[in-house]
Amino acid sequence: MFPWLKDSWLKLLKVYNGTHAPNSILIYGKDGLGKKEIAHELASFYLCFNKNSAGYCGSCPSCLNMAGGTHGDFLTISSDNGCQIGIEEIRDMIETMSMSAKMQHGKVVIIENIELLTLPAANALLKILEEPAADLLFILTADNLLKIIPTILSRCVKFKINDPDYQLASSWMREQITDKSVDLKHFFLLNNYSPVDTVRFINSNQHHLIYALINAIAEFLADGSKSGAVIECLQNITDTSPFNKADDDPKAKKRGGKIIFSIVYPWLYFIVSDIYRSRLTGSLKENYFLKSEQLLARFRSVPVHVLHESLELLTQMARENQILATSYLDLHIVNWLQQLARR
């Protein structure tokens, strides 16, 4: 289990060692914190023949079957590449779980990212959540509670996985990454405090692209006709990102798809934040990427009020990300660059 999940795991154990353990629990929090892992730990605990206050035994028939992926009373429903989960999958699950437990020791269903349920699928799930079998546990996970219908939320005990402390997660991340010299803390922030995403980010060599993007933005500010280099960098970041699930066709990905704003937004935001912070404080100490006077000198001509407005515009674009026309995203970004280049 990930080290930052241990406190959450102990709290879950207290809930399910109690006399009124819920039949459905919704584990939620940011993507990349380990919700899937802790859900599987809870499933193993619930099905264990010899569970105790410390967890599951790991050696009973149930635990051995869970470890081998062959447990007949355990089912996981998940989405492939962010696609919606349809009603047929929920109906199949209901039919399967209506049968008697094969090991006579309870049944568990994990449904990952329930915000991806279609409305008919959500309504079908709601019916079984309203009248669950006594021996059936539903473990649901979600990144965003706002995208879940309220009636499902009201039927579940909600359990939040909080952002991990950097000191707690850093040792684990340092062991996992291939580039040991990387400034880990700043890329941890760039990846929204997710240790798992930070490791994937660094091991896919994305961290080397940040300075190419910085240089491309600086070149554009010096010569407003060079927006193409910035767009090319952002396209490269999108195409090589481990979080790009928009296209599973390697050939299509190689040709270059569309820039995904949710992927490139943090890069742009932290670069401009560095410039803005340095201009206000006169110090490079708190910067994430612009750590030399030589780099910062390339941005001295941008007025502080323009930097402030550029950050506000980026934030507005992030809020409107769902309605920004993907086919015109390049134009939105060029417009933002032109705003940044104002004197």
Side-chain angles (χ1 to χ4, degrees), residues 205-256:
N205 291 315
Q206 283 255 295
H207 60 298
H208 292 303
L209 300 176
I210 190 75
Y211 295 104
L213 179 58
I214 289 171
N215 288 327
I217 293 173
E219 288 296 322
F220 175 81
L221 295 178
D223 181 351
S225 68
K226 294 185 176 180
S227 62
V230 180
I231 298 301
E232 186 177 345
C233 275
L234 296 177
Q235 185 65 71
N236 192 20
I237 288 166
T238 296
D239 288 346
T240 61
S241 172
F243 316 115
N244 182 358
K245 301 176 181 177
D247 193 344
D248 284 332
D249 178 1
K251 292 182 180 177
K253 214 167 193 180
K254 190 174 181 180
R255 289 195 301 271

Side-chain angles (χ1 to χ4, degrees), residues 76-337:
T76 298
I77 297 175
S78 60
S79 167
D80 292 328
N81 305 310
C83 298
Q84 287 190 304
I85 300 170
I87 190 170
E88 290 304 321
E89 292 174 86
I90 301 301
R91 284 174 174 165
D92 290 345
M93 175 272 294
I94 292 172
E95 182 178 350
T96 300
M97 289 296 150
S98 66
M99 302 175 186
S100 300
K102 293 178 175 60
M103 302 191 78
Q104 305 299 314
H105 209 75
K107 298 172 287 187
V108 177
V109 175
I110 293 177
I111 305 179
E112 299 172 4
N113 295 105
I114 62 165
E115 60 266 54
L116 297 177
L117 290 170
T118 63
L119 184 57
N123 287 330
L125 176 63
L126 179 61
K127 291 179 181 178
I128 192 170
L129 291 180
E130 288 174 337
E131 298 179 5
D135 64 343
L136 177 56
L137 170 64
F138 281 97
I139 307 173
L140 314 176
T141 74
D143 298 339
N144 190 344
L145 295 188
L146 296 177
K147 295 182 179 179
I148 303 169
I149 62 173
T151 43
I152 284 185
L153 288 177
S154 67
R155 297 295 187 275
C156 303
V157 169
K158 290 170 279 296
F159 187 87
K160 184 177 182 181
I161 305 295
N162 293 313
D163 292 346
D165 176 74
Y166 173 73
Q167 296 302 326
L168 191 62
S170 59
S171 296
W172 178 85
M173 289 190 291
R174 188 67 68 184
E175 290 175 0
Q176 308 300 316
I177 58 176
T178 52
D179 185 351
K180 305 298 183 183
S181 65
V182 72
D183 191 342
L184 191 57
K185 188 172 185 178
H186 294 149
F187 288 110
F188 178 64
L189 178 61
L190 181 64
N191 283 279
N192 205 20
Y193 303 94
S194 165
V196 175
D197 285 353
T198 302
V199 169
R200 290 170 62 197
F201 177 91
I202 293 170
N203 287 349
S204 62
N205 291 315
Q206 283 255 295
H207 60 298
H208 292 303
L209 300 176
I210 190 75
Y211 295 104
L213 179 58
I214 289 171
N215 288 327
I217 293 173
E219 288 296 322
F220 175 81
L221 295 178
D223 181 351
S225 68
K226 294 185 176 180
S227 62
V230 180
I231 298 301
E232 186 177 345
C233 275
L234 296 177
Q235 185 65 71
N236 192 20
I237 288 166
T238 296
D239 288 346
T240 61
S241 172
F243 316 115
N244 182 358
K245 301 176 181 177
D247 193 344
D248 284 332
D249 178 1
K251 292 182 180 177
K253 214 167 193 180
K254 190 174 181 180
R255 289 195 301 271
K258 299 294 183 181
I259 292 172
I260 299 176
F261 189 74
S262 59
I263 289 176
V264 303
Y265 162 70
W267 297 63
L268 298 171
Y269 189 88
F270 282 116
I271 290 171
V272 180
S273 293
D274 272 3
I275 306 169
Y276 184 55
R277 188 184 303 105
S278 300
R279 296 291 301 280
L280 288 179
T281 65
S283 170
L284 299 172
K285 188 182 298 183
E286 300 300 320
N287 280 3
Y288 299 107
F289 305 112
L290 289 169
K291 296 183 178 181
S292 72
E293 287 290 348
Q294 183 180 7
L295 265 180
L296 188 62
R298 306 183 68 182
F299 300 97
R300 292 284 186 197
S301 61
V302 185
V304 170
H305 75 277
V306 171
L307 292 168
H308 177 76
E309 291 168 6
S310 296
L311 288 172
E312 288 189 332
L313 181 56
L314 267 179
T315 304
Q316 180 184 342
M317 289 170 69
R319 284 197 298 264
E320 296 173 351
N321 182 32
Q322 296 301 318
I323 60 173
L324 288 176
T326 306
S327 55
Y328 297 109
L329 187 53
D330 293 7
L331 295 178
H332 289 291
I333 293 171
V334 171
N335 176 63
W336 173 78
L337 286 169

